[in-house]
Structure formats: structure tokens, C-alpha cells
Amino acid sequence: LFPVWLQAGVDASETVSSGQKRKGLLSIFADHCSFVTGHRLRRACQIGELYSNLYSERTRWTLVGSIWRRFQSKHAPSGKLVAALAGVFMWENEKIKDEEIHRCGLELQTLEPAKCLNTSSGTMTGQQDPSWEIVMEKKDFRVWRRPIPNSHLYEYRVLGSYSDVTPRQFFNVQLDTEYRKKWDSLVIKLEVVDRDAATGSEVVHWATHFPYPMYSRDYLYVRRYFVDVNNNLMILVSRAVQHPRVPETQEFVRVHSYQSKMVIRPHRSFDENGFDYLLTYSDDPQTVFPRYCLSWMVSSGMPDFLEKLHTAALRAKNLEVGIHDYAGVIKSSDTSRQPSQERLSGENPHTGGPGQIYA
């Protein structure tokens, strides 16, 4: 339309000065831009209202995220700034990548000699890093810790084994958020708020009770799970992130530093009893207690959590509850994997969706 209007201005300029011609053209151009902009805004509002009626909130956010990812791929430098201002979560920067999953699998292999513990020195035989020190030894697991550089906190590592539960059940119990709400009495809130369809990474919001007199804490983190059939491994990785859809509130104290890595290796197969697992964990609970108090809290709370997790897995194995089979159709070479819709039936089935994961 603009060239036609421009020509009309040129034809009418025979009786006006050159300055008036420029003003007239600019006025026409401004009116045209205002008309087009207003029309596009109205169309955008109409489209947004249409999608709000057709799709759920989660689906709408997925659509918006997809549009922003396309924009970022073409305009990478400006895309990050615009996304931050618009409150869009950038999956390309925050998702858990294949390299992280692969490194977790290698960690369990390097710790094989740690099954033979040198109790006199309290260190792991064959362990390359001497900074790990043993702090607990139980029948089914051992716990080590090491200082986190430039921090008053520790990173913990648990190497354990169970012989009365299948790897599949242990894996599924950690992934099923709805079931977690039942076997973990400390859970206040646990929900998936966003998901990356490309990798299966998800953003989870978890609120939990802390020992009295501390306030309850909430965690916002991205996590991803993977079943490596070729190497006989099950891997779960999570770490803290920020997401515009879940801002901090005065109801909970937000934990900004958190990571957890779980690797499970069956003794024989995914469906036969017996497996080893390696859990590496660290977080900053935002407390004023000294290091030895935090260490005591973790050391005393770890056995209780593992016992509850073990009991929950036994209940799932005995079909006392119904849980989703997340590992049912996953293959190591399937990059577009989706969890199985199959539910291992039992009493009290729940509605946890296949995209909801937690460990």
C-alpha cells in the first residue's frame, strides 16, 4: 500500500512546496504505520484469546517458548535480552544436556573400587580424589563428603545397594511425583511447571518442611532422566534454576544452590532384584547454622530418607500402589523417547502424568 500512497503524494505536489510535500508524505506514512500496528495488536489479542479458550495454560506456555526458541536461533544476541524482559524461560541455556548425563554414568564406573572400603583410613580404595572422607557406614550404603570450594558447605556422595527391589521399581518411585506426595510426609508442594519436549528435561517446583524452628524451603530445579540400555544404567540429574513462572514468595525460603545426581546399575537386568546406586548431592539450605550442624542434619536425615525411599519401592513392587512405568519404552538410541503410559496397577491409583518426574 505504501508505494501507491507515495505516488498519490507526488501527483498532488505540483501545487505545494517541497517542504509541504515531505510533511504530507511523513503524515501519510505515520498514519499508515499506526493503522498497521493497531491492526496487528488487535489480531494478536484475538489470537491470544482464541488459544486461551482452546488450550491449557501449560500448553500455551509451551507454544510461547517454542516461538521464542525460533526467535533466539535467528537473533541469538538480542534474543536472550528480549526473553529475559518478556519472562520467557530459555531452555537452550538451562536444559540438562547429553554430556551431563554421560558424565554421571562414568562416575559410577570410576567408583567401583570404592566397594572395598579401607576402614582404617576412612578413604575409598581406588578413589582418585582424596578430598572425600567417609562419614557414615551402614548395612546397605556408605556416605562420603567433601568441602565445597569457597563455601562452608559439603557435597555428599552415597554408594549403596539393594537386593530385594528391582531397578525399575526404584527408578519409577523416584520419578512419580504423585506417589512421592504419599510416601514423603515432608512434601508441601510438588509439581512440574515446564517441560522441554526435545530432551525431556523438566522444571519442577518442590516445597518441603524443614526441622523446627526453621521455615519451610522450596526448590525450583530442572531435571532429566535417561535409561541407557546398552550400558545397563538408569540416570537422573537435577539442578537449581530460575523460572519466570515461579517467583519467590514469602511463604517459603527459596534454595538457590542445589544439585542431585542418581545413577542406578542393575546386578542383572532392570526387572530382577538387585542393583547398585550412586547418589551425589549438595544444596545450600540458606541457614545460619555452622557447618557441623548442617553436617549433622544431613548425616541424620540421609538414612531416614533412604529408608522411606526403599519402603516406597517395596510397596510399588508388591503392587500395593499404582505408579507409572517411566522406563517402559525408553531405549538408549531413541532421542525422541517418551515415558510409557503403562501403569503398574495396584490400589489407590493416581493421576500423575507421564511428564511429571522427580527423584
Side-chain angles (χ1 to χ4, degrees), residues 58 61 191-195 202-205 220 243 245-246:
R58 182 174 178 178
W61 276 105
E191 59 183 359
V192 174
V193 298
D194 202 353
R195 185 173 190 272
E202 296 191 350
V203 175
V204 180
H205 184 213
L220 187 63
H243 197 289
R245 212 179 304 170
V246 189

Side-chain angles (χ1 to χ4, degrees), residues 225-291:
Y225 67 92
F226 182 69
V227 177
D228 187 345
V229 177
N230 293 335
N231 294 307
N232 207 32
L233 293 174
M234 293 173 158
I235 303 171
L236 300 88
V237 181
S238 62
R239 50 178 164 76
V241 294
Q242 296 182 7
H243 197 289
R245 212 179 304 170
V246 189
E248 294 186 52
T249 66
Q250 295 183 349
E251 185 178 4
F252 308 110
V253 176
R254 177 64 54 85
V255 176
H256 296 283
S257 176
Y258 163 75
Q259 71 169 0
S260 174
K261 297 178 288 185
M262 170 74 80
V263 184
I264 302 170
R265 183 169 63 188
H267 292 164
R268 289 176 293 275
S269 71
F270 295 134
D271 296 306
E272 296 180 80
N273 286 349
F275 60 89
D276 300 323
Y277 69 89
L278 173 67
L279 171 64
T280 306
Y281 174 90
S282 68
D283 76 339
D284 184 357
Q286 303 289 312
T287 67
V288 296
F289 297 117
R291 174 185 282 187

Side-chain angles (χ1 to χ4, degrees), residues 1 3 8 11 34 41 77 91 178 217 242 252 273 279 286 288-289 306 313 320 324 330 332 335:
L1 294 177
D11 294 338
S34 299
L41 288 175
W91 273 111
E178 293 301 318
R217 263 59 174 173
Q242 296 182 7
F252 308 110
N273 286 349
L279 171 64
Q286 303 289 312
V288 296
F289 297 117
L306 291 173
E320 297 178 26
H324 281 280
I330 299 177
S332 60
T335 57

